Amino acid sequence: MEALGLNMGFEETELRLGLPGNRVLSEGEGARKRGFSETVDLKLNLSSKDTSEKVKSFQKEKNPLPRATDPPAKPPAKTQVVGWPPVRSFRKNMLGVVQKSSGEESDMAGGNNAAFVKVSMDGAPYLRKVDLRMYNTYQDLYHALGKMFSSFTIGNCGSQGMKDFMNESKLMDLLNGSDYVPTYEDKDGDWMLVGDVPWGMFVESCKRLRIVKGTEAIGLAPRAMEKCKNRR
Amino acid sequence: MSEDDDRSPPLDLRCGAAPSINRARNCSGEAVSGSGSSTSSSIPASVPVTVTEYQSQYPDQVLEIVLENVLQFLTSRRDRNAASLVCKSWWRAEALTRSELFIGNCYAVSPDRARGRFRRVRSVVLKGKPRFADFNLMPPDWGAHFGPWVCVLANAYPWLEKVYLKRMSITDDDLALLAESFSGFKELTLVCCEGFGTCGLAFIASKCRQLRVLDLIETEVTDDEVDWISLFPEGETCLESLIFDCVDCAINFEALEKLVARSPFLRKLRLNRHVSIRQLYRLMVRAPQLTHLGTGKYGPSEVAQRQGDTEPDYIAAFAACKSLVCLSGFREITPDYLSAIYPVCANLTSLNFSYATITADQLKPVICNCHKLQIFWALDSICDEGLQAVAATCKELRELRVFPMNAQEDVEGPVSEVGLQAISEGCRKLQSILYFCQRMTNAAVIAMSSNCLELEVFRLCIMGRHRPDHATGEPMDEGFGAIVRNCRKLTRLAVSGLLTDRAFGYIGKYGKLIRTLSVAFAGDSDMGLKYVLEGCPKLQKLEIRDSPFGDAALRSGLHHYYNMRFLWMSSCRLTRQGCQEIAQAMPRLVVEVIRSDDEEETDNYVETLYMYRSLEGPRHDAPKFVTILR
């Protein structure tokens, strides 16, 4: 320790062969147990760079706890700890102060695996949001969309109507009518018909959903199929 | 009250109940009240009487009636809880007459159970996540879903008028259901909630025709690009309060202006930062009757400055608001414009500058006029000097909050013990303080304890962990000890700085009224927590992080946990076995062990323990990272 030129009362960090807690205590409580994490941290105190890499979301840095009788040593540069000081990130963001500790930003999507996309429907006053990862098949999605927008549909686009889009020939039939058709915007920014690609691929590439009147969607069908051919 | 509903509303006992009850007694002596069956023809025909399933079989009808009539005057839920414990008949009467339902922990009781006991509820308060969730100490999707509640409320209480939610997870669908289910819905207040967007607001705005209050406070609202403001009903509205400063989305200003113009009862308006100061002017001109105003962006736009437009007369606009008592907002502030508020300073009782990066010199000309100020929130950019100015003028101050502009450790802070001391000397009526600082001394805290004897809430956050008294190098034990010893009304305490078990000894010995205690990076050993659990009989909410308290300490609270709302302990020295013991010893306690990720704990210690009393046992909606111990 001396070799580093530090004279900051770091007795606690000395590695010893004895059991931890094997020292005189001010409160006379007897040897208190020190946790594993603490002894590890005492070692790491000297190189705070290592500790900073270990701090990830929701994993708190376990701090060395100085005792009351120690002389007030200047602590080493501390890494930011999650949730400390207890100021709501909301308040920090409002000020635009740029000092985010790791994991500070709250994830509005509600978890790492959510895939929220906006769903709009022609003629409906509101947008909705769906988490595509909640569904496993196009059927599930149509069912959910049908329920969501059932109060707005004028045509006969209930969940049954949407299920018909699974069937390509029926799709063409319906497209001639004024039914609603679900379309989506993919990663390339193109508007495609929903249902052409395997579900997994769809979830990966869908950025936004739009339910359009059937007549408007006719132009999409050939493009969609061509694009898929190119991909496959 | 004639509703086109086959379920008629209950007799409103508040409207001159006594005389009508006498009239309603029929010949057989059977009393007719809201809870009995109706047979008498002496009941006024226009008032339908509910035929409920409860048929009183007790002979002492007089007592029942008197009870119900008297109980309606009991509004405090604590009084009502006490009354309900007297005997079964009091329990029944109280359950029928309680109209305000308060549920401090949404998992302590199920919606069905609440509905089963309380039949005529008009107002619901529901609180979800523990407070430390605000500081990212809890993974998202932990729970506190409003969904299950709103479904039950929709069926059980069609006359529900008010909903207040704090730290709940709410979806757009929940808000849609709420908006559709209660035709007389009047007040929605959402504090620290999340999970929905402007879609949800659109439902509320368009369907709640009787809406008086829509208050969104520190709530996250996603931008669904929906123009919710324009969906309020046409014609005159009932709006009294519209608070949306936390909704960080662009707003259709024309629609907002029209809304304000047709809301003659509007008293409280808090705008978000997308509303410019020029737009604010137009709104103020429309609504000079406002009592609470939260500005948006408080400074000229660059465009206006370049064009050299003439500025509206902001001073006149403020002067015209003769009833203004509460000001807030001031986002992205241009301090020169502060002079516009001078006309209202003398009347202000509440001033919130906590988003305004102003200096002491910029504060002084404002604050020196605020003689009536009772609530003051600010950033520490005002420095000790600014606090001294507050202390010199604001003799009526009840609540002070000083937030950090730069919430980091190991930086120089602009406020210190000097500011605290000044406040303690100048503001002797202080009841509540939240003070963030980088350095503090015991002397200043002791001074506050002897000067401010009305203190009920003392929350001091010395941002450097384990930081001792700045002047003496000693722990902060004596300062906090003095607070609990001298401030006999103290109910809420948050400690910080270097603290030994001694500080907790003081808290246990003197903090007999403390209900909420927050501890972080403090204490030496299990004794610290033991002192508190054994010494504080009124303790309800205990939140602890990063402190060396272990299983033995946890055991010492077994006698008290059923009296508490919750206990939170994160990054302490608890083992799984220790928590398990508690779970086994106390069947009505839900003991949750929360991990930060899906991996099993590699450590010996439990990362987070969150436990709370509950009538329902383990919840069924716990996510994967929560383990409920049995």
Side-chain angles (χ1 to χ4, degrees):
Chain A
M1 308 301 143
E2 287 69 34
L4 293 170
L6 296 168
N7 196 16
M8 287 154 55
F10 267 52
E11 295 80 13
E12 287 178 33
T13 64
E14 274 184 53
L15 296 176
R16 293 182 187 162
L17 290 177
L19 287 171
N22 203 1
R23 64 196 73 187
V24 178
L25 294 169
S26 58
E27 308 302 326
E29 268 301 311
R32 71 199 146 114
K33 292 199 175 123
R34 306 195 78 167
F36 159 83
S37 53
E38 207 174 49
T39 51
V40 168
D41 256 9
L42 292 173
K43 253 183 4 195
L44 291 175
N45 229 353
L46 298 171
S47 55
S48 49
K49 258 186 284 184
D50 289 338
T51 39
S52 64
E53 276 150 37
K54 291 184 179 170
V55 175
K56 52 181 181 139
S57 292
F58 306 112
Q59 191 169 43
K60 274 73 69 185
E61 178 194 297
K62 296 178 176 73
N63 296 289
L65 303 171
R67 292 180 294 118
T69 51
D70 283 343
K74 184 165 180 8
K78 289 174 182 156
T79 58
Q80 286 283 74
V81 171
V82 173
W84 187 262
V87 177
R88 296 193 181 108
S89 54
F90 186 88
R91 191 168 276 284
K92 286 179 182 166
N93 293 339
M94 284 291 154
L95 290 173
V97 177
V98 182
Q99 35 93 13
K100 290 184 166 58
S101 59
S102 47
E104 196 75 71
E105 274 179 317
S106 60
D107 185 6
M108 259 313 294
N112 299 324
N113 293 324
F116 274 104
V117 297
K118 293 184 185 171
V119 186
S120 60
M121 178 160 147
D122 289 355
Y126 322 133
L127 277 185
R128 302 306 297 271
K129 294 187 300 272
V130 287
D131 175 5
L132 291 179
R133 294 202 193 274
M134 279 184 50
Y135 310 106
N136 295 318
T137 64
Y138 283 113
Q139 300 270 15
D140 295 342
L141 176 64
Y142 295 151
H143 193 68
L145 290 177
K147 274 196 330 194
M148 232 182 242
F149 286 99
S150 55
S151 49
F152 302 136
T153 46
I154 320 163
N156 38 344
C157 182
S159 43
Q160 182 54 47
M162 293 224 190
K163 280 177 193 161
D164 289 342
F165 295 129
M166 288 296 286
N167 188 323
E168 203 179 273
S169 57
K170 275 201 176 175
L171 171 67
M172 293 314 292
D173 289 336
L174 284 158
L175 286 178
N176 294 324
S178 60
D179 287 318
Y180 287 83
V181 176
T183 65
Y184 72 102
E185 184 182 8
D186 73 359
K187 282 185 185 159
D188 305 330
D190 296 325
W191 285 92
M192 321 274 284
L193 275 178
V194 170
D196 284 338
V197 302
W199 173 256
M201 201 187 290
F202 166 70
V203 172
E204 291 301 318
S205 59
C206 172
K207 276 178 33 199
R208 204 182 155 121
L209 278 164
R210 191 174 149 220
I211 304 173
V212 301
K213 280 212 165 89
T215 45
E216 289 182 30
I218 287 173
L220 291 176
R223 265 174 55 207
M225 292 186 212
E226 233 182 66
K227 202 163 182 177
C228 290
K229 283 181 198 147
N230 292 340
R231 283 215 187 103
R232 288 168 195 159
Chain B
M1 295 202 272
S2 53
E3 303 275 341
D4 287 339
D5 190 331
D6 43 358
R7 239 188 314 172
S8 45
L11 239 191
D12 192 345
L13 291 171
R14 292 172 201 226
C15 308
S20 63
I21 291 293
N22 285 335
R23 265 204 319 272
R25 266 180 172 257
N26 64 14
C27 319
S28 66
E30 247 185 55
V32 177
S33 65
S35 56
S37 59
S38 71
T39 51
S40 168
S41 55
S42 60
I43 302 166
S46 59
V47 180
V49 175
T50 324
V51 179
T52 67
E53 66 283 8
Y54 166 55
Q55 173 89 32
S56 175
Q57 285 162 5
Y58 291 79
D60 200 351
Q61 299 296 321
V62 178
L63 181 60
E64 297 272 341
I65 297 164
V66 166
L67 210 51
E68 283 175 26
N69 278 279
V70 167
L71 283 179
Q72 64 176 299
F73 294 106
L74 273 187
T75 46
S76 146
R77 67 179 190 270
R78 293 198 174 100
D79 288 345
R80 282 187 158 270
N81 292 345
S84 71
L85 292 175
V86 169
C87 64
K88 276 197 178 157
S89 131
W90 281 54
W91 185 92
R92 240 190 326 264
E94 194 282 313
L96 283 169
T97 54
R98 189 183 295 223
S99 64
E100 290 169 10
L101 190 56
F102 174 92
I103 293 171
N105 174 2
C106 63
Y107 287 119
V109 69
S110 72
D112 275 323
R113 188 185 295 267
R115 173 249 297 269
R117 176 172 170 184
F118 300 108
R119 302 305 181 103
R120 299 194 191 137
V121 167
R122 298 281 172 115
S123 153
V124 172
V125 173
L126 199 52
K127 298 188 181 180
K129 292 176 236 180
R131 199 179 72 97
F132 273 7
D134 291 352
F135 312 120
N136 290 24
L137 291 182
M138 188 176 245
D141 295 332
W142 170 82
H145 302 290
F146 183 47
W149 284 91
V150 71
C151 288
V152 170
L153 294 177
N155 285 324
Y157 307 130
W159 293 278
L160 193 67
E161 293 176 352
K162 302 185 196 180
V163 167
Y164 174 107
L165 303 177
K166 187 166 186 182
R167 293 197 188 95
M168 296 289 295
S169 194
I170 310 169
T171 64
D172 292 324
D173 288 324
D174 296 337
L175 292 176
L177 184 57
L178 189 143
E180 281 161 15
S181 308
F182 309 114
S183 54
F185 194 73
K186 296 199 171 95
E187 299 187 17
L188 181 64
T189 307
L190 304 177
V191 180
C192 299
C193 297
E194 41 78 27
F196 65 97
T198 45
C199 255
L201 294 182
F203 286 121
I204 299 290
S206 62
K207 301 208 175 165
C208 300
R209 303 260 134 181
Q210 309 296 324
L211 196 68
R212 293 200 281 216
V213 170
L214 179 58
D215 288 352
L216 304 160
I217 297 164
E218 300 202 14
T219 286
E220 286 186 50
V221 181
T222 52
D223 186 356
D224 300 328
E225 292 162 25
V226 172
D227 183 6
W228 58 282
I229 286 281
S230 60
L231 292 171
F232 279 94
E234 294 292 324
E236 206 173 86
T237 74
C238 312
L239 269 183
E240 294 172 15
S241 174
L242 180 62
I243 295 178
F244 64 93
D245 54 294
C246 60
V247 181
D248 198 15
C249 316
I251 271 284
N252 176 344
F253 180 72
E254 278 70 43
L256 177 62
E257 191 177 8
K258 286 190 194 141
L259 177 65
V260 169
R262 66 180 192 277
S263 302
F265 304 107
L266 194 66
R267 294 286 178 275
K268 301 184 187 181
L269 180 64
R270 294 207 184 130
L271 310 165
N272 68 16
R273 65 180 181 89
H274 296 268
V275 178
S276 73
I277 196 171
R278 278 175 186 267
Q279 290 171 333
L280 171 71
Y281 175 82
R282 283 162 62 176
L283 293 175
M284 288 176 74
V285 162
R286 297 269 187 199
Q289 78 280 9
L290 287 176
T291 57
H292 294 58
L293 175 65
T295 75
K297 185 165 171 297
Y298 200 73
S301 69
E302 285 170 16
V303 172
Q305 277 179 317
R306 270 185 268 124
Q307 287 173 349
D309 289 345
T310 48
E311 296 259 52
D313 190 350
Y314 297 118
I315 296 188
F318 276 100
C321 294
K322 306 247 182 266
S323 314
L324 211 52
V325 292
C326 173
L327 265 185
S328 61
F330 303 105
R331 315 230 175 202
E332 297 163 54
I333 191 171
T334 301
D336 289 343
Y337 283 71
L338 267 182
S339 54
I341 72 171
Y342 290 168
V344 296
C345 287
N347 284 331
L348 281 184
T349 55
S350 171
L351 180 55
N352 182 347
F353 275 149
S354 67
Y355 292 107
T357 52
I358 53 174
T359 64
D361 286 333
Q362 288 157 352
L363 175 67
K364 281 183 195 173
V366 171
I367 210 76
C368 70
N369 295 317
C370 298
H371 299 279
K372 289 193 189 165
L373 207 60
Q374 294 186 16
I375 300 175
F376 183 57
W377 291 23
L379 283 177
D380 60 4
S381 58
I382 63 171
C383 300
D384 288 327
E385 204 186 323
L387 290 171
Q388 285 164 333
V390 172
T393 315
C394 306
K395 300 302 175 188
E396 297 298 315
L397 201 68
R398 303 284 193 270
E399 177 179 323
L400 173 68
R401 295 197 191 191
V402 179
F403 293 96
M405 238 180 46
N406 187 7
Q408 278 180 320
E409 308 180 65
D410 304 323
V411 296
E412 274 303 304
V415 299
S416 68
E417 69 276 3
V418 172
L420 192 73
Q421 178 98 26
I423 292 289
S424 78
E425 287 163 8
C427 308
R428 309 297 292 270
K429 299 187 185 177
L430 200 65
Q431 290 172 355
S432 168
I433 182 165
L434 170 63
Y435 196 87
F436 283 86
C437 57
Q438 292 288 355
R439 52 178 243 216
M440 186 48 59
T441 62
N442 282 308
V445 179
I446 293 171
M448 177 153 275
S449 78
S450 25
N451 289 333
C452 301
L453 298 170
E454 301 299 311
L455 269 181
E456 294 169 16
V457 173
F458 185 78
R459 299 160 69 193
L460 177 62
C461 182
I462 303 169
M463 289 189 274
R465 286 167 278 157
H466 313 297
R467 205 157 274 177
D469 179 319
H470 173 75
T472 65
E474 291 192 349
M476 292 300 298
D477 298 341
E478 296 308 315
F480 285 103
I483 290 283
V484 289
R485 196 167 36 242
N486 297 339
C487 302
R488 311 308 311 146
K489 300 186 182 179
L490 197 74
T491 56
R492 181 171 181 182
L493 180 65
V495 301
S496 61
L498 181 65
L499 292 170
T500 71
D501 288 342
R502 187 185 224 100
F504 296 98
Y506 290 141
I507 295 173
K509 186 168 178 193
Y510 298 108
K512 298 303 177 188
L513 295 184
I514 292 180
R515 292 203 297 263
T516 305
L517 180 63
S518 298
V519 176
F521 305 101
D524 297 321
S525 73
D526 285 345
M527 284 313 297
L529 181 53
K530 273 190 191 176
Y531 288 140
V532 168
L533 288 171
E534 288 166 3
C536 301
K538 300 278 186 184
L539 195 61
Q540 301 249 296
K541 299 185 261 184
L542 181 53
E543 46 190 29
I544 303 174
R545 65 166 293 181
D546 294 275
S547 300
F549 305 135
D551 299 336
L554 197 62
R555 253 176 260 128
S556 65
L558 282 169
H559 67 287
H560 189 62
Y561 292 138
Y562 281 156
N563 296 332
M564 290 176 62
R565 190 177 298 168
F566 72 81
L567 169 66
W568 167 291
M569 288 177 69
S570 58
S571 301
C572 297
R573 302 261 182 87
L574 301 173
T575 67
R576 200 178 164 110
Q577 298 85 283
C579 299
Q580 190 92 51
E581 274 176 44
I582 305 291
Q584 276 160 0
M586 309 193 76
R588 298 287 208 178
L589 216 55
V590 174
V591 179
E592 294 193 12
V593 165
I594 305 173
R595 296 183 291 285
S596 63
D597 46 43
D598 288 333
E599 295 161 24
E600 283 299 309
E601 301 148 29
T602 49
D603 233 289
N604 287 334
Y605 293 138
V606 152
E607 192 159 343
T608 299
L609 165 72
Y610 178 54
M611 65 188 205
Y612 48 90
R613 65 186 169 189
S614 173
L615 294 174
E616 310 304 339
R619 59 189 175 110
H620 303 296
D621 63 355
K624 281 189 306 234
F625 52 81
V626 169
T627 307
I628 300 183
L629 301 179
R630 317 289 292 276

